[in-house]
C-alpha cells in the first residue's frame, strides 16, 4: 500500500467553527508532513512530525494545531480560521530523516478548505 | 541556502510536440532532485527522481538528468499527450537530516489536440 489518504476531500467552514483534517498512511513511514498550497503556488511546509513528535513548525499561527496520535495518523485541528486560510491542505509521509540517500515524500490528494 | 528556479509558465504545446521544462538549483551538499506532477484538483505525484550526479530519472516517457556541473535537472518528453496537461514542480531534498523539500514555483503545461 503506497497510498496516503486524506479526509474530507472538501471542507467549508465559518470563522467561528472548529474542524479537523485527517491523514492516514500504512507504509510504515515515521515522518509525516502538513503543507498548505494556495492557487498557482508550490506547497508550503507547515509542520513535520518525526516518530510522532513535532520536529518542525514553520511559524504557523496557533489557529492551526497539529496532532499525531500514532505512527499512521496525522490530524490538523482548525479553529477561528480566516478567509485567507482557504487553500489546499496536503499531507505527505516519508521514511524518517536520517542517513538515507533520499527520502521520497508521498503526498495525499489534499483537502480543499474554504473559510467563509 | 537551498532554492529551486523553474521555467516560468504557462507552456502550451500541441500533441506530439517535444517538451522541455528547465530547472536549476542551488544547494549545500549533494541534494536529491525530484519532479512532481499535479493534475487538476489533485495532490502531488512523484514523476521521477535522481539521487546523484549524472543519474537519469525516467517515468512515463519523461526524463531528467542530474547535472552537477550546470546545477540543472531539466524535464523532457519526446512526444506529449493531452493527458500530460498538469502543473510540474521541480524540487530538491537537501539531505541534511530534516528531509525538507524545496519546491520551484511550478510550470503549468497545457497540451492541445
Amino acid at each position: 500500500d503506497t497510498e496516503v489518504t486524506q479526509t474530507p476531500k472538501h471542507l467549508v467552514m465559518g470563522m467561528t467553527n472548529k474542524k479537523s483534517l485527517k491523514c492516514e498512511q500504512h507504509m510504515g513511514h515515521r515522518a509525516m508532513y502538513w503543507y498548505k498550497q494556495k492557487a498557482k503556488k508550490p506547497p508550503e511546509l507547515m509542520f513535520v512530525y518525526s516518530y510522532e513528535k513535532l520536529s518542525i513548525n514553520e511559524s504557523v499561527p496557533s489557529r492551526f494545531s497539529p496532532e499525531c496520535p500514532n505512527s499512521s495518523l496525522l490530524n490538523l485541528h482548525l479553529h477561528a480560521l480566516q478567509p485567507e486560510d482557504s487553500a489546499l491542505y496536503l499531507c505527505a509521509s516519508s521514511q524518517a530523516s536520517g542517513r538515507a540517500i533520499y527520502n521520497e515524500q508521498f503526498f495525499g490528494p489534499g483537502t480543499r478548505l474554504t473559510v467563509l | 541556502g537551498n532554492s529551486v528556479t523553474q521555467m516560468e509558465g504557462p507552456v502550451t504545446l500541441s500533441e506530439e510536440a517535444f517538451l522541455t521544462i528547465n530547472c536549476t538549483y542551488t544547494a549545500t551538499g549533494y541534494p536529491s532532485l525530484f519532479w512532481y506532477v499535479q493534475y487538476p484538483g489533485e495532490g502531488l505525484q512523484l514523476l521521477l527522481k535522481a539521487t546523484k550526479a549524472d543519474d537519469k530519472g525516467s517515468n512515463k516517457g519523461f526524463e531528467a538528468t542530474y547535472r552537477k556541473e550546470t546545477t540543472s535537472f531539466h524535464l523532457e518528453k519526446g512526444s506529449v499527450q493531452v493527458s500530460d496537461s498538469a502543473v510540474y514542480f521541480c524540487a530538491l531534498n537537501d539531505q541534511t537530516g530534516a528531509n525538507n523539500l524545496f519546491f520551484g514555483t511550478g510550470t503549468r503545461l497545457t497540451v492541445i489536440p
Side-chain angles (χ1 to χ4, degrees):
Chain A
D1 183 0
T2 58
E3 190 179 35
V4 176
T5 59
Q6 288 187 245
T7 56
K9 192 172 175 63
H10 299 278
L11 178 63
V12 179
M13 60 186 290
M15 288 190 283
T16 58
N17 292 157
K18 286 185 180 181
K19 297 286 185 183
S20 297
L21 310 184
K22 296 185 184 303
C23 173
E24 189 168 7
Q25 57 87 16
H26 295 289
M27 294 179 277
H29 290 164
R30 301 305 294 275
M32 296 186 76
Y33 311 78
W34 280 116
Y35 290 85
K36 174 182 178 180
Q37 187 180 24
K38 300 286 276 185
K40 300 185 180 181
K41 297 290 187 182
E44 299 174 17
L45 184 65
M46 300 175 72
F47 302 105
V48 181
Y49 273 82
S50 181
Y51 296 97
E52 295 88 68
K53 293 192 188 312
L54 184 64
S55 60
I56 294 178
N57 176 342
E58 291 286 355
S59 303
V60 179
S62 60
R63 57 186 184 269
F64 296 91
S65 175
E67 178 197 20
C68 190
N70 61 54
S71 60
S72 300
L73 291 173
L74 184 67
N75 298 321
L76 186 63
H77 302 297
L78 314 173
H79 174 55
L81 295 193
Q82 304 298 310
E84 59 264 29
D85 296 322
S86 298
L88 181 69
Y89 288 84
L90 294 165
C91 173
S93 71
S94 75
Q95 297 176 34
S97 61
R99 295 182 181 272
I101 296 174
Y102 62 88
N103 288 321
E104 174 186 334
Q105 290 189 23
F106 292 80
F107 284 80
T111 293
R112 189 159 298 283
L113 173 68
T114 302
V115 182
L116 301 176
Chain B
N2 298 301
S3 67
V4 175
T5 301
Q6 200 174 328
M7 174 177 166
E8 290 285 333
V11 174
T12 302
L13 295 174
S14 297
E15 207 165 20
E16 300 183 2
F18 184 85
L19 169 71
T20 300
I21 301 178
N22 290 339
C23 172
T24 57
Y25 67 89
T26 302
T28 52
Y30 303 96
S32 293
L33 301 174
F34 305 87
W35 277 101
Y36 282 88
V37 58
Q38 187 171 32
Y39 297 102
E42 298 185 10
L44 274 69
Q45 299 176 26
L46 181 68
L47 181 60
L48 53 84
K49 58 197 175 194
T51 61
K52 61 184 187 297
D54 300 325
D55 266 3
K56 178 186 281 189
S58 61
N59 185 28
K60 300 181 181 179
F62 290 90
E63 292 183 340
T65 301
Y66 189 142
R67 301 284 188 202
K68 189 170 177 228
E69 63 277 12
T70 54
T71 62
S72 65
F73 192 55
H74 305 321
L75 183 68
E76 296 183 336
K77 186 175 185 183
S79 176
V80 294
Q81 306 300 312
V82 172
S83 56
D84 294 326
S85 298
V87 179
Y88 292 82
F89 292 97
C90 185
L92 71 83
N93 172 331
D94 63 2
Q95 295 187 54
T96 57
N99 197 34
N100 288 349
L101 277 178
F102 295 84
F103 287 96
T105 53
T107 301
R108 180 174 300 276
L109 169 67
T110 301
V111 180
I112 54 177

